[in-house]
Every structure is written in C-alpha cells, then in structure tokens.
C-alpha cells in the first residue's frame, strides 16, 4: 500500500501526543496530510526529470587508463570515459544522487505516517509495520547515500536501533518527539544540496549536446526551465519543513491546540497550492522530450 494512502487513512480523527482525547477539526488536519502527499508526489516527478541529466553528467567524468577505478570499467577499450555502467546508461532505477533524494523523501513521508497513526490512537500492533518500514528505508539510505549526505546519515542511523526497541505507545511517543528535529534536518539537507542536482543538469546538458543527436536550443531552453523548477522546489521543501515544525509545536503544546491546527491548515493550503503550480510546471516540461 502506498504511503500516501495510509497517510489519508490515519489522518481522519484527531491529533495530539499530550491531548489525545481532544477532538480536532477533520478538514484542517486533512489539509496538512494532503500537502505532504503532494510533497511526495511532486518531488518524485522532479527527480524523474533530473535523473537522465545525472546519468549524462556521470559519463562526462574523465580518467586516464591508470586512474580508472576497477569498479568503473570501460565499455570499450578505446572509450575515453570511466563510469559505472548502471549509473551512466541505465534507463531503469536511479543514479546515486537522485536515489538519495528519493530515500529521504520516503523517510520523511513514513515518519509522518507514524506521527499521524500514533496521534489517531492506532494501536502499536498496527503501527509496527510503518515503524519497520521507516527503519528499513533509513537503513537503505545509510548504505547508499552519496557524500553530500554523510552528516545526515550519522544523524539518522541511530533511529534504526531506537525504532527496533519500541514496545508500547509510550515508547513510540518518546521516539517521535525526540526525532522531529532529526527528520527536519532531512528537509534542510535536501534544500541545501539541491544545487548539486542543478549542477548535474548543467553538466549533463553539455554532455548531451556533445554526444550529438539532440536539439541544442531545446536542451538549453530546458536547462533554464529546470533551473526555475529546482528553485521553486527548494522553496517548497523549506515551506514543507515549516509545516512539520508547526505540527511538532501544535501537538507538543496543548494550550489553544485547535487554533494552532487551524493556522497550520491555512499554511498547508498555501504550500499545497505551490505544489499544484510546480506539478503543472513539471508536466509542461515532461521527462525526456528534449532528448529526441
């Protein structure tokens, strides 16, 4: 079952670690959930567009024969480029940086599923699957993350052991409240490292032009549009992080909780509108039209 489906199922009644019995407005809470669903969906579309450029940028790395790493063999003996074949030429799966971003998106989405399920009074028996999935994806991220995320790997890795020790809802509450900031750090690193994604777009564009068989003007125009898409996406990453911080504050401070949730919902509607606009922007550019 998709994360976003469970997100909608869980987020239907109430929220609050400290005030679990306080009824809260369903519509406002659903606005928050819907925005995180948009964050996941649109972010993955952005990564779909960027992935071919990372592959092309990988093909541009030059080595001499003696410098070529053993795990990056030449396809042909006279090939002037070293590369891992799967990263440079595969048309399925993800190249390394895009994969790191997808895993981070999944970590954030799964953490939100757990927050919502716990707040909704779901028993640990049913939340355990989500906790296990969260732990698994953190482990995958730790094993495959690119150098840009080394510090974040160090911050997230302890959560695997912590989550495996959860035995009841009280321990789950402690785990969640202790790790909001760690998950928020994932947002921060995504925003900070978005420049690396554009570097791949820029370098990949030059490589594709050099390889020939493409429309140069279309590629250059596409590169400019992708610069705008990545800039808009970075703004929305930061605004979505603000929503998570708002939820953390709302559920940790029972006074005026309904007011806080309503304010959070208003902000959610604004961020959701931004994702709708970005979704239209990504749809207009497509995934591979300029490579024909």
């Amino acid at each position: 079952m998709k994360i976003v489906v469970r997100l909608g199922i869980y987020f239907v009644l109430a929220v609050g670690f400290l005030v679990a019995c306080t009824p809260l407005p369903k519509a406002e809470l659903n606005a928050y959930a819907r925005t995180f669903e948009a964050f996941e969906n649109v972010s993955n579309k952005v990564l779909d567009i960027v992935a071919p450029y990372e592959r092309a940028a990988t093909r541009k790395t030059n080595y001499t024969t003696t410098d070529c790493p053993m795990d990056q063999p030449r396809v042909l003996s006279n090939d002037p480029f070293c590369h891992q074949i799967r990263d440079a030429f595969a048309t399925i799966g993800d190249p390394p940086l895009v994969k790191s971003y997808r895993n981070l998106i999944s970590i954030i989405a799964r953490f939100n599923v757990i927050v919502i399920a716990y707040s909704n009074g779901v028993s640990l028996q049913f939340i355990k699957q989500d906790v296990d999935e969260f732990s698994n994806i953190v482990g995958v991220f730790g094993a495959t993350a690119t150098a840009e995320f080394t510090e974040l790997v160090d911050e997230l890795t302890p959560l695997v052991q912590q989550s495996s020790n959860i035995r009841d809802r009280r321990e789950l509450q402690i785990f969640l409240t202790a790790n909001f900031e760690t998950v928020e750090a994932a947002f921060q690193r995504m925003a900070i490292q978005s420049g690396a994604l554009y570097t791949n777009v820029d370098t990949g564009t030059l490589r594709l032009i050099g390889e020939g068989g493409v429309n140069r003007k279309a590629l250059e125009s596409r590169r400019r549009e992708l610069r705008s898409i990545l800039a808009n996406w970075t703004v929305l990453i930061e605004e979505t992080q603000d929503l998570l911080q708002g939820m953390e504050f709302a559920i940790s401070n029972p006074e005026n909780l309904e007011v806080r949730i309503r304010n959070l919902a208003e902000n959610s509607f604004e961020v959701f509108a931004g994702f709708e606009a970005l979704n239209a922007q990504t749809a207009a550019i497509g995934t591979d039209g300029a490579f024909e």
Side-chain angles (χ1 to χ4, degrees):
M1 184 182 296
K2 287 186 65 178
I3 298 171
V4 294
V5 173
R6 286 206 300 274
L7 193 66
I9 292 173
Y10 289 147
F11 214 162
V12 293
L13 297 176
V15 73
F17 293 118
L18 304 180
V19 287
C21 296
T22 302
L24 296 171
K26 176 180 175 180
E28 282 82 346
L29 300 180
N30 283 339
Y32 172 87
R34 185 179 65 161
T35 301
F36 269 84
E37 178 179 337
F39 159 73
E40 182 183 7
N41 288 338
V42 177
S43 294
N44 278 312
K45 290 180 181 180
V46 171
L47 295 176
D48 288 341
I49 296 172
V50 171
Y53 291 94
E54 182 176 347
R55 299 192 197 286
T58 301
R59 297 198 295 272
K60 197 176 189 305
T61 304
N62 287 281
Y63 294 88
T64 65
T65 302
T66 55
D67 290 337
C68 188
M70 293 298 293
D71 65 342
Q72 296 183 340
R74 299 173 186 273
V75 177
L76 300 172
S77 59
N78 62 346
D79 190 338
F81 304 104
C82 286
H83 46 72
Q84 285 187 302
I85 296 174
R86 64 171 182 251
D87 293 341
F89 290 103
T91 56
I92 58 175
D94 289 319
L97 185 58
V98 166
K99 180 186 293 185
S100 294
Y101 267 90
R102 282 203 210 276
N103 286 336
L104 278 180
I105 291 165
S106 184
I107 287 170
I108 292 168
R110 290 171 194 270
F111 185 82
N112 269 278
V113 166
I114 298 169
V115 169
I116 292 165
Y118 173 82
S119 304
N120 216 16
V122 178
S123 70
L124 183 62
Q125 176 185 356
F126 294 104
I127 301 177
K128 193 64 170 64
Q129 175 187 351
D130 299 309
V131 174
D132 290 344
E133 289 179 359
F134 173 81
S135 176
N136 288 339
I137 195 63
V138 170
V140 169
F141 174 73
T144 61
T146 55
E148 290 88 350
F149 298 105
T150 300
E151 292 182 7
L152 187 59
V153 168
D154 293 339
E155 293 180 45
L156 286 169
T157 297
L159 274 62
V160 175
Q161 183 62 42
Q162 291 175 27
S163 61
S164 68
N165 294 330
I166 296 172
R167 293 165 295 183
D168 54 40
R169 283 177 54 83
R170 174 59 181 169
E171 291 181 351
L172 179 60
Q173 174 190 351
I174 294 171
F175 169 78
L176 292 172
T177 54
N179 288 300
F180 266 105
E181 290 187 3
T182 303
V183 176
E184 289 164 11
F187 276 112
Q188 293 170 1
R189 295 309 300 175
M190 285 177 63
I192 291 171
Q193 295 302 330
S194 62
L197 290 174
Y198 180 70
T199 295
N200 283 335
V201 169
D202 190 38
T203 303
T205 296
L206 294 175
R207 175 58 183 161
L208 288 165
I209 292 172
E211 290 176 343
V214 295
N215 185 324
R216 178 170 185 153
K217 289 185 177 180
L219 271 175
E220 292 174 343
S221 175
R222 183 181 172 88
R223 176 177 55 190
R224 291 190 292 271
E225 183 65 16
L226 278 171
R227 181 173 56 193
S228 173
I229 286 175
L230 287 171
N232 291 336
W233 182 52
T234 303
V235 170
L236 289 169
I237 288 173
E238 294 171 342
E239 291 182 351
T240 309
Q241 178 191 347
D242 291 341
L243 292 181
L244 183 64
Q245 291 176 329
M247 177 59 77
E248 176 190 10
F249 186 71
I251 64 181
S252 300
N253 296 274
E255 294 183 4
N256 299 319
L257 184 60
E258 289 193 29
V259 174
R260 297 186 198 282
I261 291 296
R262 288 193 178 97
N263 290 339
L264 184 63
E266 291 179 4
N267 293 335
S268 296
F269 282 121
E270 293 180 4
V271 179
F272 180 80
F275 277 117
E276 288 275 271
L278 183 57
N279 188 48
Q281 195 176 9
T282 58
I285 196 173
T287 56
D288 59 4
F291 301 118
E292 297 175 354

